Amino acid sequence: MVNRFLDHLEEWIITFLIGAATTVIFVAVVHRYATGFATGAFQDALLRLDLAWAQELCIYMFVWMAKFGAAYGVRTGIHVGVDVMINSLPDRTRGWFVIFGLLAGALFTGIIGTFGAHFVWELMGTDQTSAALELPKWLVYLCLPCGSYLMCYRFLQVAWTFHKTG
Protein backbone atom coordinates (compact mmCIF):
# COMPACT_ATOMS: atom_id res chain seq x y z
CA MET A 1 0.00 0.00 0.00
CA VAL A 2 2.73 2.49 0.98
CA ASN A 3 4.89 1.46 -1.97
CA ARG A 4 1.95 1.98 -4.31
CA PHE A 5 1.41 5.47 -2.87
CA LEU A 6 5.10 6.35 -3.27
CA ASP A 7 5.11 5.08 -6.85
CA HIS A 8 2.56 7.77 -7.65
CA LEU A 9 3.74 10.46 -5.22
CA GLU A 10 4.09 13.12 -7.90
CA GLU A 11 0.57 12.52 -9.15
CA TRP A 12 -0.91 12.89 -5.65
CA ILE A 13 1.00 16.10 -4.99
CA ILE A 14 0.20 17.62 -8.39
CA THR A 15 -3.48 16.66 -8.09
CA PHE A 16 -3.77 18.26 -4.65
CA LEU A 17 -1.92 21.41 -5.70
CA ILE A 18 -3.86 21.96 -8.92
CA GLY A 19 -7.17 21.38 -7.14
CA ALA A 20 -6.26 23.77 -4.34
CA ALA A 21 -4.93 26.41 -6.75
CA THR A 22 -8.08 26.22 -8.87
CA THR A 23 -10.26 26.62 -5.77
CA VAL A 24 -8.24 29.58 -4.46
CA ILE A 25 -8.28 31.33 -7.85
CA PHE A 26 -12.02 30.72 -8.26
CA VAL A 27 -12.80 32.15 -4.81
CA ALA A 28 -10.56 35.18 -5.44
CA VAL A 29 -12.19 35.93 -8.81
CA VAL A 30 -15.73 35.54 -7.45
CA HIS A 31 -14.78 37.78 -4.52
CA ARG A 32 -13.34 40.42 -6.85
CA TYR A 33 -16.48 40.56 -8.98
CA ALA A 34 -18.90 40.29 -6.06
CA THR A 35 -17.39 43.36 -4.39
CA GLY A 36 -18.41 45.39 -7.44
CA PHE A 37 -22.11 44.93 -6.80
CA ALA A 38 -23.74 47.55 -4.58
CA THR A 39 -25.50 45.27 -2.10
CA GLY A 40 -25.13 47.21 1.13
CA ALA A 41 -23.96 45.22 4.15
CA PHE A 42 -22.96 42.20 2.03
CA GLN A 43 -20.67 44.37 -0.07
CA ASP A 44 -19.16 45.90 3.06
CA ALA A 45 -18.45 42.42 4.44
CA LEU A 46 -16.82 41.37 1.17
CA LEU A 47 -14.67 44.50 1.09
CA ARG A 48 -13.38 43.66 4.57
CA LEU A 49 -12.12 40.29 3.28
CA ASP A 50 -8.53 40.60 2.10
CA LEU A 51 -7.65 38.02 -0.55
CA ALA A 52 -4.45 39.72 -1.70
CA TRP A 53 -2.54 36.61 -0.63
CA ALA A 54 -4.36 34.37 -3.16
CA GLN A 55 -2.16 35.30 -6.11
CA GLU A 56 1.07 34.71 -4.19
CA LEU A 57 -0.16 31.35 -2.89
CA CYS A 58 -1.10 30.21 -6.39
CA ILE A 59 2.30 31.23 -7.77
CA TYR A 60 4.02 29.14 -5.09
CA MET A 61 1.73 26.19 -5.75
CA PHE A 62 2.47 26.33 -9.49
CA VAL A 63 6.23 26.41 -8.81
CA TRP A 64 5.87 23.28 -6.63
CA MET A 65 3.75 21.68 -9.37
CA ALA A 66 6.48 22.37 -11.93
CA LYS A 67 9.17 20.73 -9.79
CA PHE A 68 7.10 17.62 -9.10
CA GLY A 69 5.79 17.60 -12.67
CA ALA A 70 9.35 17.31 -13.93
CA ALA A 71 9.90 14.30 -11.65
CA TYR A 72 6.66 12.80 -12.98
CA GLY A 73 7.94 13.38 -16.53
CA VAL A 74 11.15 11.50 -15.79
CA ARG A 75 9.28 8.60 -14.17
CA THR A 76 6.87 8.20 -17.08
CA GLY A 77 9.38 8.91 -19.85
CA ILE A 78 7.72 12.09 -21.10
CA HIS A 79 10.34 14.51 -19.81
CA VAL A 80 11.84 16.68 -22.54
CA GLY A 81 14.71 15.00 -24.33
CA VAL A 82 16.45 15.23 -27.68
CA ASP A 83 17.06 11.73 -28.90
CA VAL A 84 17.01 11.95 -32.70
CA MET A 85 20.73 11.18 -33.01
CA ILE A 86 20.69 8.56 -30.24
CA ASN A 87 17.79 6.69 -31.84
CA SER A 88 19.82 6.35 -35.07
CA LEU A 89 22.63 4.50 -33.26
CA PRO A 90 22.93 0.70 -33.07
CA ASP A 91 21.10 -0.89 -30.10
CA ARG A 92 24.18 -1.61 -27.97
CA THR A 93 25.66 1.88 -28.44
CA ARG A 94 22.27 3.52 -27.95
CA GLY A 95 21.85 1.73 -24.63
CA TRP A 96 25.10 3.16 -23.29
CA PHE A 97 24.11 6.67 -24.33
CA VAL A 98 20.70 6.31 -22.71
CA ILE A 99 22.27 5.11 -19.45
CA PHE A 100 24.81 7.95 -19.61
CA GLY A 101 22.03 10.51 -20.17
CA LEU A 102 19.97 9.17 -17.29
CA LEU A 103 22.95 9.13 -14.93
CA ALA A 104 23.93 12.64 -16.04
CA GLY A 105 20.37 13.76 -15.27
CA ALA A 106 20.59 12.13 -11.85
CA LEU A 107 23.92 13.82 -11.17
CA PHE A 108 22.62 17.23 -12.28
CA THR A 109 19.40 17.03 -10.24
CA GLY A 110 21.34 15.69 -7.26
CA ILE A 111 23.66 18.71 -7.44
CA ILE A 112 20.72 21.11 -7.80
CA GLY A 113 19.00 19.41 -4.86
CA THR A 114 22.13 19.77 -2.73
CA PHE A 115 22.55 23.45 -3.63
CA GLY A 116 18.85 23.95 -2.98
CA ALA A 117 19.10 22.24 0.41
CA HIS A 118 22.06 24.43 1.32
CA PHE A 119 20.14 27.53 0.22
CA VAL A 120 17.11 26.51 2.29
CA TRP A 121 19.34 25.78 5.28
CA GLU A 122 20.86 29.26 5.03
CA LEU A 123 17.40 30.86 4.72
CA MET A 124 16.23 29.09 7.87
CA GLY A 125 18.62 31.28 9.85
CA THR A 126 16.96 34.47 8.62
CA ASP A 127 13.65 36.18 9.32
CA GLN A 128 12.82 36.61 5.62
CA THR A 129 9.16 36.12 4.78
CA SER A 130 7.08 36.28 1.63
CA ALA A 131 5.27 39.52 0.82
CA ALA A 132 1.57 38.70 1.14
CA LEU A 133 1.42 35.39 3.01
CA GLU A 134 4.33 36.18 5.31
CA LEU A 135 5.50 32.57 5.00
CA PRO A 136 9.11 31.90 5.94
CA LYS A 137 11.13 32.08 2.71
CA TRP A 138 12.80 28.74 3.44
CA LEU A 139 9.39 27.07 3.26
CA VAL A 140 8.73 28.64 -0.14
CA TYR A 141 12.09 27.48 -1.52
CA LEU A 142 11.85 23.99 -0.03
CA CYS A 143 10.51 22.86 -3.41
CA LEU A 144 14.07 23.04 -4.79
CA PRO A 145 15.61 20.22 -2.76
CA CYS A 146 12.38 18.21 -2.50
CA GLY A 147 11.60 18.29 -6.21
CA SER A 148 15.21 17.93 -7.34
CA TYR A 149 15.97 14.97 -5.06
CA LEU A 150 12.76 13.25 -6.15
CA MET A 151 13.73 13.86 -9.77
CA CYS A 152 17.23 12.46 -9.07
CA TYR A 153 15.64 9.36 -7.54
CA ARG A 154 13.38 8.94 -10.57
CA PHE A 155 16.37 9.26 -12.96
CA LEU A 156 18.16 6.51 -11.01
CA GLN A 157 14.99 4.40 -10.93
CA VAL A 158 14.52 4.70 -14.71
CA ALA A 159 18.23 4.02 -15.32
CA TRP A 160 18.06 0.84 -13.22
CA THR A 161 14.90 -0.33 -14.98
CA PHE A 162 16.43 0.41 -18.39
CA HIS A 163 19.61 -1.48 -17.41
CA LYS A 164 17.57 -4.51 -16.35
CA THR A 165 15.03 -4.55 -19.19
CA GLY A 166 16.65 -2.59 -22.03
Side-chain angles (χ1 to χ4, degrees):
M1 177 78 174
V2 172
N3 192 29
R4 205 167 147 208
F5 175 78
L6 292 178
D7 283 346
H8 298 281
L9 179 65
E10 301 94 334
E11 294 164 38
W12 289 106
I13 292 171
I14 293 167
T15 301
F16 168 76
L17 288 173
I18 202 162
T22 302
T23 303
V24 168
I25 290 170
F26 176 76
V27 168
V29 168
V30 168
H31 174 264
R32 187 177 311 130
Y33 281 102
T35 57
F37 297 119
T39 57
F42 183 67
Q43 183 184 30
D44 293 340
L46 285 176
L47 288 171
R48 282 191 295 275
L49 285 175
D50 181 20
L51 295 181
W53 52 267
Q55 181 180 1
E56 184 177 296
L57 177 62
C58 288
I59 289 169
Y60 295 150
M61 286 196 279
F62 277 102
V63 170
W64 279 76
M65 276 188 269
K67 289 301 291 177
F68 286 98
Y72 172 77
V74 170
R75 181 175 61 84
T76 58
I78 60 171
H79 193 267
V80 175
V82 180
D83 56 0
V84 173
M85 188 180 89
I86 291 176
N87 285 339
S88 66
L89 296 172
D91 287 344
R92 184 160 173 78
T93 308
R94 182 176 56 233
W96 286 108
F97 275 100
V98 169
I99 292 291
F100 173 77
L102 291 169
L103 293 178
L107 176 66
F108 177 75
T109 53
I111 290 170
I112 296 298
T114 302
F115 283 145
H118 179 72
F119 181 66
V120 167
W121 182 259
E122 293 295 321
L123 276 177
M124 287 177 81
T126 68
D127 292 331
Q128 291 185 22
T129 58
S130 64
L133 288 169
E134 297 183 5
L135 286 171
K137 278 290 193 177
W138 68 266
L139 190 61
V140 172
Y141 287 104
L142 193 60
C143 68
L144 287 172
C146 291
S148 296
Y149 283 141
L150 181 60
M151 199 169 171
C152 177
Y153 170 73
R154 294 303 186 191
F155 269 121
L156 293 172
Q157 189 179 37
V158 170
W160 180 255
T161 303
F162 183 81
H163 172 70
K164 287 296 185 188
T165 64

